[in-house]
Amino acid sequence: IGQTLEPIAQNPGVKAVAKVPGMNWLLLWLGQVDIAATRAAVETARRSHPTEDKDAIAERIIQEMTWRAARLGLLTNIVPPIALALLAVDIVGLTRLQAEMVYQLAAVYGLDLESAERRGEVIMLYGLAFAGGTPTKFALSWLELIPVVGAATGASSNAALIYLLGQTARRYYSNRSD
């Protein structure tokens, strides 16, 4: 999958469209992330916690992304009448967090971030998340229109989705690096 998507993501036309404000989600769906920022984030985590092993660093990354996803869900659902309009913003933001987290976890376990395999893994993990998470997110979107309940639903559903994806990716990469 990654080798198939690589030429598409590297296509100058796709890159040009992705630079248009609001269109950067296109590269996210192709598994594209800022690799330099990914490496920097993992290195910062390692320097901040030098005595922790790979699994502990991975858990920290998952927890951080879970909190970021919860905040995103809260902010996009804080005003119930606007929550439905912000559903796309929520899903694109959640997609960005998923891609960043998957690449960061791959980096923790020492895998090559430049490899087309990573892009394929992101897409594979999107598939897992999409199969269970996105339909759940859409099903819960009506609850997000209810004051107070909506904000709590948005925050908790985002947190649960990214946490489960993170644990799946952590187990996958942990087994690959052994």
Side-chain angles (χ1 to χ4, degrees):
I1 293 173
Q3 290 175 346
T4 302
L5 293 176
E6 186 73 21
I8 297 169
Q10 298 305 322
N11 181 292
V14 171
K15 285 184 171 186
V17 169
K19 289 181 182 177
V20 173
M23 293 298 291
N24 63 347
W25 59 267
L26 180 61
L27 289 178
L28 288 174
W29 283 102
L30 294 172
Q32 183 78 26
V33 298
D34 183 342
I35 291 177
T38 298
R39 286 185 177 125
V42 171
E43 194 52 42
T44 298
R46 285 184 177 141
R47 275 194 311 266
S48 298
H49 308 282
T51 61
E52 292 186 349
D53 65 3
K54 292 176 183 178
D55 289 329
I57 297 293
E59 281 299 321
R60 286 187 178 281
I61 289 169
I62 293 167
Q63 289 171 11
E64 170 62 24
M65 292 300 190
T66 299
W67 281 110
R68 287 175 61 188
R71 284 192 300 270
L72 175 66
L74 180 68
L75 292 174
T76 56
N77 292 290
I78 198 82
V79 180
I82 303 173
L84 201 52
L86 293 177
L87 182 60
V89 171
D90 190 29
I91 290 173
V92 169
L94 196 57
T95 300
R96 174 176 295 285
L97 291 175
Q98 289 172 342
E100 290 174 1
M101 180 179 62
V102 169
Y103 269 80
Q104 287 179 18
L105 293 173
V108 165
Y109 290 101
L111 298 168
D112 179 12
L113 299 183
E114 305 283 343
S115 171
E117 285 182 59
R118 297 300 82 74
R119 187 183 308 276
E121 291 160 357
V122 167
I123 300 304
M124 174 193 67
L125 290 165
Y126 279 167
L128 290 172
F130 187 80
T134 303
T136 302
K137 186 77 175 153
F138 279 114
L140 293 173
S141 63
W142 68 273
L143 282 175
E144 294 172 358
L145 299 174
I146 302 170
V148 181
V149 172
T153 301
S156 61
S157 65
N158 278 9
L161 291 173
I162 204 139
Y163 180 80
L164 291 172
L165 176 67
Q167 292 301 326
T168 301
R170 183 189 59 74
R171 276 189 233 105
Y172 177 75
Y173 289 133
S174 176
N175 290 334
R176 295 235 9 229
S177 71
D178 291 339

